[in-house]
Amino acid sequence: MLRNQPSVIACVTTQYECDRIIEEAEQLAAEYDCELHVLSVLMPTDNYALISDKLEYLNRVAKRAGADMTIIFSSNAPKAAVKFARENQALQIAAGIHDGGQDSFLVQFNQMAPEISITMVDKNRNVYTMDVRQRRSV
């Protein structure tokens, strides 16, 4: 669904600790005066029972931040996230720290959508931003 308002997207996995990513994305969305979305891209599987509590927790954190949480089932997380980000006019995404490999989610995301800035939040809540986007008026 296409949106008319720019957004910040918190890209989360199925870890309780991803709440730090949502909280940082909430601050970014407030700073840019735009919408906040929370996105989790999951590999298709037959059994989500092991992660349902974690997803419910992250959904509650998203709601407290004023965002909806979207779950997309895809075997290509970077491609699905780029599509979602573009549909929602993302100015920036927030995620955890990438593993440094060329196949990591953030490296692939950046290759497909270099116009969208990336903020990374490490486990100690240190924030690193790659502000590579083309400036757009908000």
Side-chain angles (χ1 to χ4, degrees):
M1 170 190 323
L2 291 175
R3 310 262 188 212
N4 291 327
Q5 184 177 4
S7 67
V8 171
I9 298 173
C11 296
V12 299
T13 61
T14 57
Q15 302 172 41
Y16 291 113
E17 297 82 15
C18 286
D19 57 0
R20 74 189 189 282
I21 297 166
I22 298 169
E23 291 163 3
E24 179 62 27
E26 178 184 17
Q27 291 179 11
L28 291 168
E31 178 183 328
Y32 294 138
D33 191 28
C34 61
E35 290 185 352
L36 171 63
H37 300 284
V38 177
L39 173 66
S40 185
V41 181
L42 302 178
M43 290 288 290
T45 182
D46 291 333
N47 185 357
Y48 295 99
L50 296 175
I51 59 171
S52 62
D53 288 346
K54 295 172 186 173
L55 290 173
E56 181 56 36
Y57 169 74
L58 293 172
N59 185 53
R60 285 194 308 272
V61 173
K63 293 290 184 213
R64 282 196 306 265
D68 287 328
M69 182 170 173
T70 300
I71 299 173
I72 297 174
F73 300 96
S74 173
S75 57
N76 189 334
K79 184 176 179 181
V82 166
K83 181 178 186 287
F84 183 85
R86 286 187 173 141
E87 287 173 349
N88 289 280
Q89 297 183 36
L91 298 174
Q92 194 153 0
I93 65 163
I97 298 290
H98 78 88
D99 66 7
Q102 289 301 310
D103 293 332
S104 74
F105 170 81
L106 289 177
V107 169
Q108 289 184 47
F109 184 96
N110 183 249
Q111 288 171 343
M112 288 185 265
E115 73 280 6
I116 300 173
S117 292
I118 297 172
T119 292
M120 296 174 284
V121 185
D122 73 13
K123 295 201 185 267
N124 295 320
R125 296 183 182 261
N126 295 312
V127 177
Y128 307 91
T129 298
M130 298 180 349
D131 192 10
V132 295
R133 66 183 154 93
Q134 300 165 357
R135 295 285 175 191
R136 297 185 276 183
S137 59
V138 192

